[in-house]
């Protein structure tokens, strides 16, 4: 048998985390003696069945999955499974576990999910030349190959099937498969994302067809969306696929802005059986993942009542993983595992997917194993999810509550429920009337004259100013949301109870402060809250155009010469303001005294490099203590982000800093 044969990588790997590095001489780590016995896995047995945990960690998979065509530092490192195994062995967990003998999956088993053509293409790699292997690898998205790739992939899949067989037949309670290559990116017709065959999808089909287990719940907590697994069950009413992953508005690998979005729910009879929880930011940690479990995953699990639970257990959302850039601790992985094993009579199997920090996957995998063995789990810090997480979960529930009674029914679409012969007024219009009356009666403010109506839409009715606008007093331009409507509803159709609903207008305190200090004010209300990327782009452009109109009016009337001018924006208004500053970067330093941003739940906008020297000296960019920007510890701040300051728990404590 060849020792450590080389493994070809894809020369143009499209997973963004894989970058060429300077080659280093790598230390060869020998196999632990307990991994192999005459080329096969040993088995370990426990006398106490109630504590039994079955696992697989195939030595062939470990030994033959490395590279020949370039970088030794590829993230899908052969040491990944060895480090997890070594951690559970050193913790003496293997004394209470059964280790199965690995085997290859059969062609028929692979065919439960994959096409004949795909199986044939992978199989023939065993006889290919080095150059042909590289050419074939480059034809896929982020795949590398050698002559033992097909064997390793069959072994990975077959080992998981063997564990499923043992748990399903009642030999043991649960299991963990420490296997590679991973599988959740492999589509039925092609490989991708380091994955050749879809291990978990094949195992689910095997359980259905060979053990009479109809309802299967697949949870994928790998930081990447499991596109292959989702595709395999997209129209299956008996398999729920739930993925909690980094999304970044569709730009994070595998980079499908539709398939990985929260709005994808399945097709045909499988509608409602696909659940995506997509994070639009790095830095999500224990609080965010446990919040998602409590609000979405566990309620659906209890309602679905699965016969079996499979976990695509990637550990690239773990704290320390340079690819996922998330902050999940081993304690959180333990708690999530503990919650999951309360379902399906405890029939749960964790199968390794991704995870590329060797230290992180070792301690995370160990935490999961301890949870399966009923060992005490490390306590979590208090659960305080960040605003981006809360908004994401709200959007997920809004979609999924159409299909799951255990989720609060917030899906009602008012426009769909209005009879065609009935008059209807949008709540935003009603609130805009309140805002206009309040500004006029309390402060004597009027609608801003001389605004160009072209392409300004709803902003024309939402710009007001004090009546002495053109004197020499300091001028504040304030861009903000209308307020937060806190509504109480009743019934499954979400009928609003007006007497139990209020508008929380936190912006009034800003207006009070500005006007009572003897300043003049232009008040610009952002007319609606955008929910899609298209709406965000459109609204940002509208804001920028309105500010450009105001700017032209003030410059034309010499209202900006020789006076202090401060621009303040909150929430989504920050994006339109920064877009405007970038457009007027040559004029901004001449006229503006300072800029204040009070960040909302979204990402932080940045000015151009040319404007940044002025911006860092003349800006206050305020973020509350629970804003996700503070959790991105790896992100170096620079002058383009402005003078970033903490404001405490609530923004309202910062008004005296303006």
């Amino acid at each position: 048998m060849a020792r450590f044969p080389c493994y070809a990588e894809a020369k143009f790997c499209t997973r963004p985390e894989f970058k060429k590095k300077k080659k280093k001489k790598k230390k060869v780590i020998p196999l632990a003696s307990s991994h192999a016995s005459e080329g096969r896995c040993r088995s370990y047995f426990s006398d106490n069945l109630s504590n039994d945990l079955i696992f697989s960690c195939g030595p062939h998979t470990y030994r033959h999955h490395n590279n020949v065509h370039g970088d030794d530092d590829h993230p899908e490192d052969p040491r990944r499974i060895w480090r997890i195994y070594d951690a559970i062995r050193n913790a003496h967990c293997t004394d209470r576990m059964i280790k199965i003998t690995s085997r290859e999956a059969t062609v028929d088993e692979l065919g439960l999910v994959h096409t004949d053509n795909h199986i044939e293409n992978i199989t023939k790699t065993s006889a290919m030349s080095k150059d042909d292997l590289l050419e074939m690898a480059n034809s896929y998205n982020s795949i590398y190959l050698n002559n033992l790739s097909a064997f390793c992939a069959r072994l990975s899949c077959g080992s998981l099937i063997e564990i499923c067989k043992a748990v399903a037949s009642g030999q043991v309670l649960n299991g963990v498969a420490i296997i590679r290559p991973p599988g959740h990116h492999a589509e039925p017709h092609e490989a991708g994302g380091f994955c050749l065959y879809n291990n978990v999808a094949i195992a689910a089909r095997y359980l259905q067809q060979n053990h009479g287990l109809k309802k299967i719940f697949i949870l994928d907590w790998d930081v990447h969306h499991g596109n292959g697994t989702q595709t395999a069950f997209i129209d299956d009413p008996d398999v729920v696929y739930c993925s909690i992953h980094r999304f970044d508005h569709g730009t994070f690998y595998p980079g499908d802005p539709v398939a990985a979005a929260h709005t994808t729910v399945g097709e045909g009879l499988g509608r409602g059986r696909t659940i995506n929880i997509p994070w639009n930011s790095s830095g999500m940690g224990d609080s965010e993942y446990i919040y998602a479990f409590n609000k979405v995953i566990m309620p659906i699990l209890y309602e679905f009542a699965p016969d079996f639970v499979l976990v695509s257990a990637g550990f690239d959302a773990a704290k320390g993983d340079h690819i996922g850039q998330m902050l999940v601790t081993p304690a959180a992985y333990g708690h999530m595992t503990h919650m999951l094993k309360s379902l399906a009579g405890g029939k749960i199997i964790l199968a390794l997917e991704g995870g590329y920090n060797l230290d992180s996957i070792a301690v995370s995998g160990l935490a999961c194993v301890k949870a399966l063995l009923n060992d005490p789990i490390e306590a979590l810090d208090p659960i305080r999810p960040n605003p981006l997480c809360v908004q994401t979960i709200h959007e997920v529930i809004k979609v999924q509550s159409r299909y799951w009674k255990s989720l609060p029914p917030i899906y009602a679409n008012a426009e769909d429920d209005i009879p065609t012969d009935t008059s209807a007024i949008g709540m935003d219009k009603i609130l805009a009337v309140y805002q206009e009356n309040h500004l006029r009666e309390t402060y004597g403010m009027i609608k801003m004259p001389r605004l160009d109506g072209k392409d300004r839409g709803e902003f024309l009715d939402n710009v007001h100013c004090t009546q002495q606008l053109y004197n020499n007093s300091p001028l504040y331009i304030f861009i903000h949301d209308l307020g937060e409507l806190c509504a109480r509803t009743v019934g499954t159709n979400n009928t609003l109870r007006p007497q139990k609903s209020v508008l929380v207008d936190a912006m009034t305190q800003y207006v009070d402060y500005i006007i009572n200090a003897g300043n003049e004010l232009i008040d610009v209300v952002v007319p609606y809250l955008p929910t899609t990327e298209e709406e965000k782009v459109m609204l940002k452009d509208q804001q920028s155009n309105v500010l450009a109109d105001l700017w032209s009016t003030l410059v034309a009337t010499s209202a900006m010469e020789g006076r202090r001018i401060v621009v303040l924006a909150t929430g989504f208004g920050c994006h339109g303001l920064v877009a405007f500053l970038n457009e007027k970067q040559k004029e901004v330093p001449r006229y503006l005294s300072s800029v204040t941003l009070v960040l909302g739940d979204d990402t932080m906008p940045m000015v151009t490099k040319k404007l940044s020297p002025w911006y860092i000296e003349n800006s206050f960019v305020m973020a509350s203590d629970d804003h996700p920007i503070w959790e991105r510890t790896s992100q170096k701040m620079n002058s383009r982000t402005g003078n970033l300051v903490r404001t405490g728990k609530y923004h309202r404590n910062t008004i005296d800093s303006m």
Side-chain angles (χ1 to χ4, degrees):
M1 179 180 295
R3 183 180 180 186
F4 295 101
C6 294
Y7 206 70
E9 69 181 41
K11 185 176 180 181
F12 300 104
C13 182
T14 57
R15 281 182 70 149
E17 60 266 20
F18 176 45
K19 298 179 180 179
K20 295 279 186 178
K21 298 180 181 178
K22 186 177 180 180
K23 291 184 181 180
K24 298 179 182 179
K25 190 173 182 179
K26 184 176 290 187
K27 179 180 178 182
V28 177
I29 299 178
L31 286 169
S33 60
S34 58
H35 272 243
S37 177
E38 297 180 357
R40 302 302 293 172
C41 293
R42 289 179 180 173
S43 295
Y44 296 87
F45 298 92
S46 168
D47 294 331
N48 185 354
L49 182 61
S50 64
N51 287 328
D52 277 355
L53 167 64
I54 191 168
F55 74 103
S56 174
C57 182
H60 296 289
T61 313
Y62 166 71
R63 295 177 65 179
H64 301 316
H65 206 45
N66 49 7
N67 306 322
V68 65
H69 284 103
D71 201 337
D72 289 334
D73 293 321
H74 194 285
E76 218 290 274
D77 191 317
R79 295 173 295 172
R80 295 170 60 243
I81 62 171
W82 179 81
R83 288 292 297 272
I84 296 174
Y85 175 80
D86 202 43
I88 63 176
R89 185 190 58 180
N90 290 340
H92 304 291
C93 292
T94 51
D95 297 341
R96 295 174 286 159
M97 301 167 70
I98 296 174
K99 187 176 183 182
I100 70 163
T101 299
S102 300
R103 71 163 175 87
E104 299 175 60
T106 67
V107 172
D108 288 342
E109 288 168 343
L110 298 175
L112 294 174
V113 169
H114 294 289
T115 63
D116 293 342
N117 185 61
H118 173 60
I119 297 170
E120 181 181 349
N121 286 338
I122 298 300
T123 301
K124 68 184 180 183
T125 60
S126 61
M128 283 184 174
S129 68
K130 180 178 174 180
D131 290 340
D132 288 342
L133 285 167
L134 182 59
E135 181 180 356
M136 183 174 180
N138 286 339
S139 70
Y140 291 116
N141 185 344
S142 307
I143 286 293
Y144 51 88
L145 297 167
N146 73 10
N147 294 127
L148 288 170
S149 295
F151 168 72
C152 292
R154 292 192 301 270
L155 194 67
S156 181
C157 185
S159 299
L160 178 56
I161 291 174
E162 283 299 297
I163 295 180
C164 289
K165 183 189 301 183
V167 174
S169 62
Q171 297 178 43
V172 289
L173 291 179
N174 46 45
V176 57
I178 310 170
I179 53 177
R180 60 183 294 272
H184 71 150
H185 292 309
E187 299 272 357
H189 64 287
E190 66 177 351
F194 311 161
C195 305
L196 303 183
Y197 295 128
N198 199 313
N199 305 317
V200 168
I202 293 169
R205 287 292 187 219
Y206 175 86
L207 288 169
Q208 286 182 317
Q209 295 195 12
N210 293 275
H211 291 276
L213 299 173
K214 182 179 180 182
K215 296 193 295 182
I216 310 292
F217 189 97
I218 300 173
L219 176 64
D220 189 337
W221 69 40
D222 189 282
V223 80
H224 301 94
H225 178 246
N227 54 291
T229 312
Q230 178 173 294
T231 300
F233 302 107
I234 195 70
D235 58 356
D236 191 331
D238 297 322
V239 177
V240 171
Y241 174 73
C242 178
S243 175
I244 179 168
H245 54 271
R246 185 172 168 185
F247 184 57
D248 290 5
H249 304 289
T251 63
F252 197 72
Y253 189 90
D256 191 327
V258 176
H262 73 282
T263 50
T264 297
V265 298
E267 299 173 359
L269 295 177
R271 288 187 64 82
R273 294 306 196 246
T274 295
I275 304 156
N276 284 321
I277 303 175
W279 304 131
N280 283 316
S281 170
S282 60
M284 300 295 182
D286 294 0
S287 289
E288 289 71 41
Y289 275 72
I290 298 300
Y291 186 78
F293 259 69
N294 290 334
K295 292 293 184 179
V296 177
I297 297 172
M298 294 308 296
I300 289 177
L301 260 168
Y302 279 113
E303 181 177 345
F304 182 59
D307 299 318
F308 208 98
V309 176
L310 289 167
V311 181
S312 278
F315 295 112
D316 38 9
K319 187 175 183 179
D321 192 287
H322 66 287
I323 292 175
Q325 297 182 328
M326 296 298 193
L327 301 170
V328 182
T329 68
Y333 281 117
H335 280 269
M336 291 188 291
T337 302
H338 179 75
M339 285 188 275
L340 291 172
K341 76 188 185 91
S342 66
L343 279 301
K347 294 184 179 66
I348 175 176
I349 291 174
L350 276 61
L352 180 64
E353 296 285 0
Y356 308 104
N357 180 302
L358 298 180
D359 295 327
S360 297
I361 62 173
V363 293
S364 299
L366 175 60
C368 293
V369 168
K370 286 186 172 182
L372 292 176
L373 288 170
N374 295 323
D375 287 355
I377 304 171
E378 182 182 348
L380 293 169
D381 291 333
I383 301 302
R384 298 190 180 99
N386 66 45
L388 277 178
C389 163
V390 174
Q391 179 61 32
T392 296
I393 297 305
H394 176 82
E395 295 297 330
V396 171
I397 293 175
K398 185 167 67 174
V399 171
Q400 291 294 335
S401 59
R402 296 174 180 266
Y403 310 102
W404 300 100
K405 294 181 180 179
S406 55
L407 300 180
I410 58 175
Y411 66 85
N413 187 340
E415 295 179 356
D416 293 341
D417 297 334
I418 298 172
T420 55
D421 58 348
T422 303
S423 176
I425 302 174
M427 186 61 69
D428 57 332
K429 301 295 191 300
I430 297 174
L431 296 179
V433 172
Y434 150 77
Q435 179 77 2
E436 180 180 353
N437 291 338
H438 175 69
L439 293 176
R440 182 181 66 250
E441 295 174 3
T442 307
Y443 308 107
M445 296 178 68
I446 60 175
K447 284 188 178 181
M448 181 71 187
R450 303 180 64 175
L451 272 183
D452 181 8
K454 183 180 179 181
D455 298 328
R456 302 302 178 256
E458 298 167 90
F459 274 99
L460 291 177
D461 294 325
N462 290 277
V463 182
H464 298 80
C465 64
T466 51
Q467 296 189 41
Q468 303 300 319
L469 184 63
Y470 297 103
N471 63 24
N472 290 323
S473 300
L475 171 63
Y476 280 72
I477 302 174
F478 183 24
I479 307 105
H480 60 90
D481 301 329
L482 180 58
E484 183 178 356
L485 182 63
C486 298
R488 181 77 64 85
T489 61
V490 62
T492 58
N493 62 351
N494 285 329
T495 301
L496 188 69
R497 299 177 64 189
Q499 75 277 17
K500 296 292 184 179
S501 304
V502 297
L503 175 67
V504 181
D505 189 3
M507 301 303 107
T508 299
Q509 62 178 327
Y510 291 87
V511 176
D512 277 338
Y513 177 89
I514 293 169
I515 293 179
N516 292 336
N519 305 299
E520 300 301 321
L521 172 65
I522 297 177
D523 185 84
V524 182
V525 177
V526 179
Y528 62 91
L529 183 66
T531 57
T532 66
E533 287 305 301
E534 292 77 13
E535 287 182 348
K536 290 178 180 179
V537 171
M538 181 175 66
L539 186 58
K540 182 180 70 173
D541 291 342
Q542 286 181 330
Q543 291 179 64
S544 180
N545 291 336
V546 167
L547 292 174
D549 286 348
L550 290 172
W551 187 272
S552 299
T553 299
L554 294 172
V555 170
T557 57
S558 301
M560 301 180 72
E561 296 289 349
R563 68 190 299 189
R564 173 177 168 79
I565 299 178
V566 176
V567 183
L568 168 66
T570 67
F572 192 79
C574 297
H575 293 271
L577 173 56
V578 171
F580 164 74
L581 295 177
N582 290 334
E583 181 182 344
K584 297 291 185 181
Q585 58 183 336
K586 293 182 179 179
E587 302 174 41
V588 162
R590 174 183 174 185
Y591 292 111
L592 292 189
S593 302
S594 67
V595 174
T596 298
L597 303 184
V598 183
L599 296 180
D601 301 341
D602 216 308
T603 54
M604 183 171 61
M606 294 191 295
V607 300
T608 62
K609 186 175 181 180
K610 182 177 181 179
L611 187 59
S612 61
W614 175 88
Y615 190 59
I616 192 65
E617 294 294 330
N618 297 276
S619 67
F620 288 95
V621 181
M622 302 180 179
S624 61
D625 286 349
D626 61 353
H627 196 282
I629 191 65
W630 303 117
E631 296 183 353
R632 300 172 200 168
T633 54
S634 62
Q635 178 175 327
K636 183 179 179 180
M637 299 301 167
N638 55 52
S639 57
R640 294 183 62 196
T641 63
N643 180 21
L644 188 63
V645 295
R646 290 180 182 268
T647 64
K649 187 174 182 181
Y650 301 106
H651 292 316
R652 63 177 64 97
N653 297 329
T654 70
I655 191 167
D656 291 333
S657 302
M658 293 191 307

